[in-house]
Amino acid sequence: MSNASQSSLPTLPASDRPEAAARLRDALLAASFTADGLLELLGASAYAALARSETVPALRATRGHTPLETLVRLFLLQQPVPHARVAEVLPVDACLESGWLAPAGGDELAATVDVRPYGGPGGEDWFIVSDLGCAVGGAGGIGRREEGVVLGVGGASMTLAGITVRTPVAAALDLGTGSGIQALHAAQHATRVVATDRNPRALHITALTLALSGTAAADLREGSLFGPVRNDETYDLIVSNPPFVISPGARLTYRDGGMGGDDLCRTLVQEAGERLNEGGFAQFLANWQHVEGEDWQDRLRSWVPRGCDAWIVQREVQDVNQYAELWLRDAGDHQGDAAEYRARYSAWLDEFEARKVKAVGFGWITLRRTSAAVPSLTVEEWPHPVEQPLGDTIRAHFDRLDHLRGHDDAALLAGHFRLAAEVVQEQVGMPGAEDPEHVVLRQNRGMRRATRVDTVGAGFAGVCDGTMSAGRILDAIAQLIGEDPVLLRDRTPAQIRLLVEQGFLEPVR
């Protein structure tokens, strides 16, 4: 990023003043400037409106003079507030000296950054810092077009935080840290956290986020992708919400990868394998191209590095017109000059046409380093609702794969299984029919999958409580339906493997 681009953005608070951040944090908490406090003050309707960047309900809800109302107007709504009123709530001199506040003309003060309360997974009171007007629910909403601007927490950030495996680890790496939300989460279960970004302003804001949230500082490094990582460094967890947008150029650092097509996401995935310790996870959000004459699943399989299991889930697909419109609106281009908007739109379509791209997929990519002779590779489409957080679900998926990989059919039938929690059975057929047309098992937790099973599969799953081996259950079913138990044992393991892989059955170890 050029110095000119940096200088066009407001000056940030000092990131080397932890005592000032600590004093500000204490004042925010004392006034209940927290996620719960905001909900109680604003009410559900006005709170939800903030998430849509609509501020009028919140402005109406903060017409009083309580400390919390003052802070909401100052840090969330970016409204100038009289000096005397701010001084009743915050250590004004320290905030001015360290740069969290600035004179706004007359006798008023203004915040220099967005500060948004954020509830941690364990009930922690955290704060996400971002550029003015760039927090989700900030006064300006998202639509800033300055190069180098740093956004707050959006839906993608929340998704990645929710799917990340949260087990204690020695070292975690957050690539493209942005406002620092992934580093903040990682610091709760990693002894050491390294956070990188090509935008030095993002590193500065990450330091502010961590300090204001009362979390230990991370090792912050400037650079793109794995560039700032030393050759001898490996990690137990790598996470990235990269600038994955497939665009004609790299106009906006926070979203545009700057490589052709989906090359940035491909490079990120391919280079992650050698940076992982055995058993370590790498988890990314990504976009990928759907190219004419090519299977999108094959395209993604080619990205997976050697020595890694992978689970890739496509959550959404947009045609090229929808995709271009989405990101043009993200940058606020639709609100500017109409001719310029049409030219940018056309340039986007020219890029897709040249690459024979017909659509763009979005989803999650999880890698796990493994020493298995034959790594597992699952690429699937799952656009249906899921239950976040999914970190434990993802970890359990790979644990089950290990179990299946280590058990041939004979060992599988000797094993014991338990029906997963909150799995229900549905019988589908015409009203009044004596027998259902088919039986569906449905999960009410995690991925919320549904799978069709035959009567043997339904009976088997219903009996699994961990007490009987799979083989003995099949023998009992064979006797009930009058089938040769040897033949039933021969044909059923594939169905058991599928039910285990998809999480309907859990091995009892």
Side-chain angles (χ1 to χ4, degrees):
M1 175 188 325
S2 67
N3 292 332
S5 297
Q6 280 282 22
S7 63
S8 68
L9 293 168
T11 301
L12 295 171
S15 59
D16 59 351
R17 295 286 303 275
E19 72 287 349
R23 291 185 64 187
L24 175 57
R25 172 179 171 78
D26 289 343
L28 298 179
L29 293 178
S32 296
F33 187 66
T34 62
D36 290 342
L38 285 182
L39 182 59
E40 183 175 350
L41 170 68
L42 301 178
S45 179
Y47 191 77
L50 268 183
R52 302 190 300 270
S53 298
E54 296 292 347
T55 60
V56 171
L59 286 168
R60 293 175 62 85
T62 56
R63 289 175 290 188
H65 291 78
T66 67
L68 181 54
E69 288 169 305
T70 296
L71 294 176
V72 170
R73 284 187 163 254
L74 192 64
F75 286 115
L76 276 186
L77 304 177
Q78 280 93 62
Q79 299 294 306
V81 177
H83 185 289
R85 183 175 165 188
V86 178
E88 295 175 358
V89 187
L90 299 178
V92 169
D93 291 342
C95 289
L96 285 168
E97 183 181 353
S98 58
W100 290 96
L101 300 175
D107 191 35
E108 293 185 316
L109 298 175
T112 59
V113 287
D114 275 324
V115 175
R116 182 175 178 83
Y118 178 87
E124 301 91 346
D125 289 315
W126 292 339
F127 300 96
I128 307 300
V129 180
S130 63
D131 270 312
L132 289 171
C134 291
V136 173
I142 292 184
R144 295 282 296 273
R145 286 180 282 181
E146 296 97 328
E147 170 68 2
V149 72
V150 180
L151 302 186
V153 177
S157 301
M158 296 286 285
T159 295
L160 180 59
I163 68 172
T164 300
V165 176
R166 301 292 177 193
T167 53
V169 296
L173 173 64
D174 174 17
L175 289 176
T177 187
S179 61
I181 179 60
Q182 310 305 331
L184 183 57
H185 275 280
Q188 310 310 303
H189 62 101
T191 303
R192 181 172 65 93
V193 177
V194 175
T196 72
D197 205 290
R198 60 180 292 200
N199 180 3
R201 189 176 183 86
L203 297 176
H204 191 142
I205 283 183
T206 290
L208 297 175
T209 290
L210 296 176
L212 195 59
S213 298
T215 298
D219 180 354
L220 305 177
R221 305 179 189 177
E222 183 179 347
S224 180
L225 299 179
F226 289 98
V229 180
R230 296 191 302 270
N231 290 335
D232 61 343
E233 287 183 304
T234 54
Y235 296 87
D236 307 296
L237 175 66
I238 300 172
V239 293
S240 184
N241 175 19
F244 53 66
V245 175
I246 300 171
S247 61
R251 187 159 59 109
L252 299 174
T253 303
Y254 72 83
R255 68 168 205 193
D256 299 328
M259 295 184 183
D262 52 17
D263 283 354
L264 182 136
C265 291
R266 175 185 56 80
T267 300
L268 182 64
V269 174
Q270 289 180 336
E271 294 183 356
E274 63 184 15
R275 299 295 185 178
L276 283 174
N277 294 322
E278 178 70 17
F281 286 92
Q283 298 185 265
F284 313 110
L285 302 185
N287 276 180
W288 43 79
Q289 299 172 150
H290 285 227
V291 180
E292 292 180 15
E294 177 185 85
D295 187 316
W296 68 269
Q297 293 183 329
D298 289 342
R299 183 181 190 86
L300 290 173
R301 290 187 185 98
S302 73
W303 290 9
V304 177
R306 295 180 62 183
C308 286
D309 293 325
W311 185 15
I312 302 174
V313 181
Q314 180 168 271
R315 296 286 290 156
E316 183 179 0
V317 180
Q318 291 184 319
D319 67 45
V320 292
N321 296 332
Q322 291 174 310
Y323 190 80
E325 291 162 14
L326 169 67
W327 294 109
L328 286 166
R329 289 179 177 275
D330 169 81
D333 291 316
H334 62 300
Q335 298 174 337
D337 179 76
E340 183 178 352
Y341 174 80
R342 289 194 296 269
R344 291 192 186 278
Y345 197 151
S346 184
W348 224 303
L349 297 185
D350 286 344
E351 176 80 4
F352 286 135
E353 184 177 344
R355 295 180 176 276
K356 298 183 178 180
V357 176
K358 58 183 180 180
V360 177
F362 167 82
W364 321 323
I365 298 177
T366 299
L367 307 177
R368 185 188 62 167
R369 190 74 184 176
T370 180
S371 57
V374 181
S376 169
L377 177 51
T378 301
V379 183
E380 64 175 320
E381 185 166 19
W382 189 254
H384 311 293
V386 299
E387 181 190 46
Q388 286 275 34
L390 276 170
D392 287 346
T393 298
I394 290 175
R395 177 189 50 77
H397 167 85
F398 287 95
D399 288 344
R400 292 193 304 272
L401 289 180
D402 283 343
H403 182 88
L404 292 175
R405 194 156 42 197
H407 290 71
D408 60 16
D409 286 355
L412 192 74
L413 294 177
H416 294 237
F417 299 91
R418 180 185 299 114
L419 188 67
E422 297 194 40
V423 171
V424 298
Q425 176 179 304
E426 300 174 356
Q427 295 185 347
V428 181
M430 294 296 295
E434 183 175 347
D435 296 312
E437 294 178 11
H438 58 264
V439 178
V440 172
L441 298 181
R442 187 178 302 278
Q443 300 168 348
N444 287 322
R445 304 295 299 272
M447 291 292 287
R448 292 179 172 165
R449 294 187 185 277
T451 190
R452 184 184 297 189
V453 293
D454 60 20
T455 54
V456 172
F460 181 87
V463 175
C464 282
D465 61 3
T467 60
M468 294 175 60
S469 71
R472 287 186 60 195
I473 293 174
L474 290 180
D475 292 342
I477 292 175
Q479 185 174 4
L480 284 173
I481 64 176
E483 183 169 339
D484 185 334
V486 175
L487 294 178
L488 190 61
R489 279 174 173 257
D490 284 343
R491 70 178 177 87
T492 307
Q495 188 171 191
I496 295 175
R497 287 184 182 278
L498 180 63
L499 292 175
V500 173
E501 181 180 339
Q502 295 190 341
F504 290 94
L505 296 178
E506 299 172 346
V508 177
R509 296 175 173 84

